[in-house]
Amino acid sequence: MDANALILRNFIDFSNKTNQYFLTNLEKTIPDIWDDIECMGEAKSKVSVVEGLKLVKRRYKINNIDIAYIIILAARGYKFRNITDRVFLCEEKAIFPSIEHFPPIKPKVAHDFEIKTTILKEIIESLEKESEDIAQNIIELVPEMLEKSYGVLYTGRFLSINEWIDLKEKEGEWVSEDTFRVGNQNMTPMMFGNILVLQARGWYLQEIHEKFKGNDYLLIKA
Protein backbone atom coordinates (compact mmCIF):
# COMPACT_ATOMS: atom_id res chain seq x y z
CA MET A 1 0.00 0.00 0.00
CA ASP A 2 1.15 3.54 -0.72
CA ALA A 3 3.10 5.09 2.18
CA ASN A 4 1.02 8.27 2.19
CA ALA A 5 -2.17 6.23 2.51
CA LEU A 6 -0.73 4.37 5.50
CA ILE A 7 0.38 7.60 7.17
CA LEU A 8 -3.10 9.11 6.66
CA ARG A 9 -4.71 5.91 7.95
CA ASN A 10 -2.68 6.06 11.15
CA PHE A 11 -3.24 9.81 11.56
CA ILE A 12 -7.00 9.21 11.44
CA ASP A 13 -6.95 6.14 13.68
CA PHE A 14 -4.69 7.55 16.42
CA SER A 15 -5.67 11.23 16.46
CA ASN A 16 -7.65 10.75 19.68
CA LYS A 17 -4.64 9.55 21.70
CA THR A 18 -2.89 11.71 24.28
CA ASN A 19 0.46 13.41 23.72
CA GLN A 20 2.02 11.11 26.31
CA TYR A 21 0.94 8.09 24.28
CA PHE A 22 2.92 9.35 21.27
CA LEU A 23 5.92 10.46 23.30
CA THR A 24 6.15 7.10 25.07
CA ASN A 25 6.02 5.17 21.80
CA LEU A 26 8.37 7.45 19.89
CA GLU A 27 11.01 7.30 22.62
CA LYS A 28 11.53 3.65 21.66
CA THR A 29 12.48 4.50 18.06
CA ILE A 30 13.91 8.03 18.26
CA PRO A 31 15.19 8.31 21.86
CA ASP A 32 17.67 11.15 21.25
CA ILE A 33 15.17 13.54 19.69
CA TRP A 34 14.01 15.02 23.02
CA ASP A 35 16.24 17.59 24.73
CA ASP A 36 14.80 20.46 26.79
CA ILE A 37 18.07 22.39 26.80
CA GLU A 38 18.55 22.23 23.03
CA CYS A 39 14.91 23.19 22.57
CA MET A 40 15.60 26.51 24.29
CA GLY A 41 17.83 27.54 21.36
CA GLU A 42 17.28 30.31 18.86
CA ALA A 43 14.12 30.44 16.77
CA LYS A 44 16.15 30.38 13.56
CA SER A 45 16.89 26.70 14.19
CA LYS A 46 13.25 25.80 13.53
CA VAL A 47 12.47 23.70 10.46
CA SER A 48 9.20 22.54 8.92
CA VAL A 49 7.71 19.16 9.76
CA VAL A 50 8.59 17.90 6.27
CA GLU A 51 12.24 18.96 6.62
CA GLY A 52 12.31 17.67 10.20
CA LEU A 53 11.07 14.26 9.10
CA LYS A 54 13.76 14.12 6.41
CA LEU A 55 16.41 14.83 9.04
CA VAL A 56 14.95 12.23 11.42
CA LYS A 57 14.97 9.58 8.67
CA ARG A 58 18.69 10.14 8.12
CA ARG A 59 19.47 9.08 11.69
CA TYR A 60 16.67 6.73 12.69
CA LYS A 61 14.73 3.90 11.15
CA ILE A 62 11.14 5.07 11.47
CA ASN A 63 7.97 3.61 9.99
CA ASN A 64 4.69 5.08 8.79
CA ILE A 65 3.12 4.86 12.26
CA ASP A 66 6.01 6.89 13.73
CA ILE A 67 5.56 9.50 11.00
CA ALA A 68 1.82 9.74 11.74
CA TYR A 69 2.56 10.16 15.45
CA ILE A 70 5.00 12.98 14.71
CA ILE A 71 2.52 14.75 12.43
CA ILE A 72 -0.16 14.55 15.14
CA LEU A 73 2.27 16.07 17.65
CA ALA A 74 3.12 18.75 15.07
CA ALA A 75 -0.60 19.49 14.73
CA ARG A 76 -0.64 20.04 18.50
CA GLY A 77 2.24 22.49 18.50
CA TYR A 78 5.46 20.47 18.64
CA LYS A 79 8.21 21.95 16.44
CA PHE A 80 11.38 20.60 14.88
CA ARG A 81 14.73 22.28 15.52
CA ASN A 82 17.89 21.52 13.59
CA ILE A 83 20.92 22.26 15.78
CA THR A 84 24.52 21.40 14.80
CA ASP A 85 23.38 18.66 12.42
CA ARG A 86 21.04 17.14 14.98
CA VAL A 87 17.27 17.33 14.96
CA PHE A 88 15.03 17.72 18.01
CA LEU A 89 11.27 17.70 18.46
CA CYS A 90 10.37 20.44 20.89
CA GLU A 91 7.24 21.33 22.81
CA GLU A 92 6.41 24.95 22.07
CA LYS A 93 3.05 26.07 23.43
CA ALA A 94 1.79 22.60 22.67
CA ILE A 95 -1.86 21.64 22.93
CA PHE A 96 -2.72 18.87 25.40
CA PRO A 97 -6.32 18.15 24.40
CA SER A 98 -8.83 16.59 26.73
CA ILE A 99 -9.56 13.54 24.62
CA GLU A 100 -13.22 12.61 24.54
CA HIS A 101 -14.15 8.93 24.57
CA PHE A 102 -15.97 8.16 21.34
CA PRO A 103 -16.68 4.85 19.55
CA PRO A 104 -13.58 3.66 17.63
CA ILE A 105 -14.97 4.50 14.19
CA LYS A 106 -12.39 4.57 11.39
CA PRO A 107 -13.67 6.21 8.20
CA LYS A 108 -12.04 5.25 4.91
CA VAL A 109 -11.92 8.93 3.79
CA ALA A 110 -11.14 7.78 0.23
CA HIS A 111 -10.34 4.66 -1.79
CA ASP A 112 -8.06 6.42 -4.25
CA PHE A 113 -4.39 6.79 -3.27
CA GLU A 114 -4.13 10.14 -5.03
CA ILE A 115 -6.99 11.57 -2.98
CA LYS A 116 -5.44 10.23 0.23
CA THR A 117 -2.12 11.81 -0.69
CA THR A 118 -3.86 15.13 -1.32
CA ILE A 119 -5.66 14.97 2.05
CA LEU A 120 -2.37 14.21 3.82
CA LYS A 121 -0.77 17.17 2.03
CA GLU A 122 -3.62 19.39 3.19
CA ILE A 123 -3.12 18.16 6.78
CA ILE A 124 0.56 19.08 6.64
CA GLU A 125 -0.19 22.49 5.12
CA SER A 126 -2.69 23.15 7.94
CA LEU A 127 -0.32 22.38 10.82
CA GLU A 128 0.63 26.03 11.32
CA LYS A 129 -2.93 27.35 11.03
CA GLU A 130 -4.83 28.54 14.08
CA SER A 131 -7.68 26.20 15.06
CA GLU A 132 -10.23 29.03 15.11
CA ASP A 133 -9.29 30.03 11.55
CA ILE A 134 -9.65 26.42 10.38
CA ALA A 135 -13.03 26.10 12.12
CA GLN A 136 -14.32 29.35 10.58
CA ASN A 137 -13.22 28.19 7.13
CA ILE A 138 -15.06 24.88 7.55
CA ILE A 139 -18.21 26.70 8.74
CA GLU A 140 -18.09 28.83 5.60
CA LEU A 141 -17.55 25.82 3.31
CA VAL A 142 -19.97 23.27 4.81
CA PRO A 143 -23.59 24.49 5.06
CA GLU A 144 -24.54 22.09 7.88
CA MET A 145 -21.82 23.48 10.17
CA LEU A 146 -23.43 26.19 12.29
CA GLU A 147 -21.90 29.29 13.82
CA LYS A 148 -22.46 29.01 17.57
CA SER A 149 -24.78 31.72 18.86
CA TYR A 150 -23.94 33.34 22.18
CA GLY A 151 -26.34 32.51 25.01
CA VAL A 152 -28.10 29.64 23.20
CA LEU A 153 -28.24 26.31 25.02
CA TYR A 154 -27.81 23.67 22.33
CA THR A 155 -28.91 20.07 22.74
CA GLY A 156 -27.91 17.01 20.77
CA ARG A 157 -25.44 14.16 20.95
CA PHE A 158 -21.72 14.66 20.77
CA LEU A 159 -19.78 12.77 18.13
CA SER A 160 -16.22 12.60 16.90
CA ILE A 161 -15.16 14.09 13.61
CA ASN A 162 -14.39 10.51 12.51
CA GLU A 163 -18.04 9.63 13.17
CA TRP A 164 -19.21 12.61 11.11
CA ILE A 165 -16.93 11.67 8.19
CA ASP A 166 -18.21 8.08 8.42
CA LEU A 167 -21.80 9.38 8.16
CA LYS A 168 -20.90 11.45 5.10
CA GLU A 169 -19.27 8.43 3.44
CA LYS A 170 -22.52 6.46 3.81
CA GLU A 171 -24.43 9.26 2.08
CA GLY A 172 -22.01 10.42 -0.62
CA GLU A 173 -19.03 9.56 -2.79
CA TRP A 174 -15.94 10.97 -4.46
CA VAL A 175 -16.97 12.02 -7.96
CA SER A 176 -13.47 13.26 -8.83
CA GLU A 177 -10.09 13.72 -7.16
CA ASP A 178 -11.21 17.20 -6.07
CA THR A 179 -14.83 16.62 -5.11
CA PHE A 180 -16.70 14.53 -2.54
CA ARG A 181 -20.42 14.92 -3.17
CA VAL A 182 -23.25 14.47 -0.65
CA GLY A 183 -26.59 15.39 -2.20
CA ASN A 184 -26.09 18.86 -3.66
CA GLN A 185 -23.15 19.62 -1.38
CA ASN A 186 -19.52 19.33 -2.50
CA MET A 187 -16.54 18.90 -0.17
CA THR A 188 -12.86 19.02 -1.05
CA PRO A 189 -9.69 17.25 0.14
CA MET A 190 -8.68 20.56 1.78
CA MET A 191 -11.80 20.48 3.94
CA PHE A 192 -11.14 16.90 5.01
CA GLY A 193 -7.52 17.72 5.81
CA ASN A 194 -8.53 20.79 7.82
CA ILE A 195 -11.20 19.08 9.91
CA LEU A 196 -8.89 16.12 10.63
CA VAL A 197 -6.32 18.57 12.03
CA LEU A 198 -9.03 19.89 14.35
CA GLN A 199 -9.77 16.35 15.50
CA ALA A 200 -6.09 15.82 16.31
CA ARG A 201 -6.32 18.96 18.45
CA GLY A 202 -9.25 17.53 20.39
CA TRP A 203 -12.19 19.16 18.60
CA TYR A 204 -15.46 17.30 18.12
CA LEU A 205 -19.06 17.95 17.03
CA GLN A 206 -22.48 18.43 18.55
CA GLU A 207 -25.41 17.27 16.48
CA ILE A 208 -28.28 19.77 16.29
CA HIS A 209 -31.50 18.13 15.12
CA GLU A 210 -33.68 19.90 12.60
CA LYS A 211 -37.23 18.64 12.20
CA PHE A 212 -37.69 19.30 8.50
CA LYS A 213 -34.21 18.81 7.10
CA GLY A 214 -30.93 17.04 7.75
CA ASN A 215 -29.06 17.59 10.98
CA ASP A 216 -26.75 20.53 11.58
CA TYR A 217 -23.58 20.47 13.66
CA LEU A 218 -21.51 22.69 15.92
CA LEU A 219 -17.75 22.42 16.01
CA ILE A 220 -16.74 22.16 19.67
CA LYS A 221 -13.31 23.24 20.91
CA ALA A 222 -11.63 20.86 23.34
Side-chain angles (χ1 to χ4, degrees):
M1 186 181 288
D2 181 78
N4 289 339
L6 287 171
I7 294 167
L8 178 63
R9 177 76 269 153
N10 287 302
F11 184 97
I12 292 168
D13 292 352
F14 289 95
S15 59
N16 63 348
K17 298 290 186 181
T18 64
N19 292 10
Q20 192 56 52
Y21 174 89
F22 303 124
L23 297 174
T24 299
N25 282 278
L26 287 170
E27 281 177 353
K28 299 172 185 176
T29 47
I30 49 175
D32 298 330
I33 202 171
W34 322 106
D35 191 310
D36 291 339
I37 301 300
E38 296 289 2
C39 284
M40 295 172 65
E42 296 183 30
K44 65 182 181 182
S45 65
K46 291 180 184 178
V47 295
S48 70
V49 66
V50 173
E51 183 62 26
L53 284 167
K54 289 179 182 177
L55 294 169
V56 169
K57 291 170 77 172
R58 290 179 189 173
R59 296 192 60 203
Y60 304 97
K61 186 176 181 179
I62 58 173
N63 57 34
N64 294 318
I65 294 178
D66 297 326
I67 294 172
Y69 288 178
I70 290 170
I71 295 174
I72 292 171
L73 287 175
R76 295 178 181 177
Y78 282 77
K79 309 290 185 184
F80 277 112
R81 287 179 180 265
N82 181 22
I83 303 169
T84 59
D85 296 324
R86 291 187 62 192
V87 64
F88 300 95
L89 190 58
C90 303
E91 176 195 329
E92 297 187 15
K93 298 180 181 179
I95 299 168
F96 292 81
S98 300
I99 302 298
E100 296 288 327
H101 294 286
F102 293 108
I105 293 173
K106 300 178 179 181
K108 295 181 179 65
V109 178
H111 294 287
D112 186 275
F113 288 160
E114 292 299 324
I115 297 173
K116 291 181 180 181
T117 294
T118 303
I119 292 172
L120 181 61
K121 179 183 177 183
E122 295 293 348
I123 286 172
I124 291 170
E125 291 185 354
S126 299
L127 296 179
E128 299 294 330
K129 294 180 182 178
E130 295 293 333
S131 296
E132 287 73 15
D133 292 339
I134 294 175
Q136 188 59 45
N137 186 51
I138 291 169
I139 289 168
E140 292 172 1
L141 290 174
V142 183
E144 66 190 41
M145 294 294 178
L146 298 179
E147 189 98 46
K148 189 172 184 179
S149 298
Y150 180 77
V152 177
L153 180 61
Y154 292 94
T155 60
R157 72 180 180 119
F158 296 105
L159 67 162
S160 70
I161 286 168
N162 274 355
E163 288 181 84
W164 179 80
I165 293 174
D166 186 65
L167 289 172
K168 297 297 106 179
E169 288 180 330
K170 291 174 181 175
E171 301 171 10
E173 62 179 341
W174 288 95
V175 295
S176 72
E177 290 186 5
D178 300 320
T179 305
F180 181 85
R181 183 166 297 158
V182 183
N184 60 0
Q185 176 185 332
N186 294 333
M187 293 184 281
T188 65
M190 181 187 74
M191 195 230 76
F192 281 98
N194 279 201
I195 201 167
L196 286 167
V197 166
L198 288 185
Q199 176 162 260
R201 294 176 180 174
W203 288 59
Y204 52 99
L205 297 168
Q206 184 175 13
E207 186 177 46
I208 310 301
H209 295 286
E210 291 289 342
K211 187 173 182 181
F212 299 108
K213 66 184 186 68
N215 294 338
D216 289 323
Y217 300 88
L218 294 176
L219 274 166
I220 306 295
K221 183 178 180 179

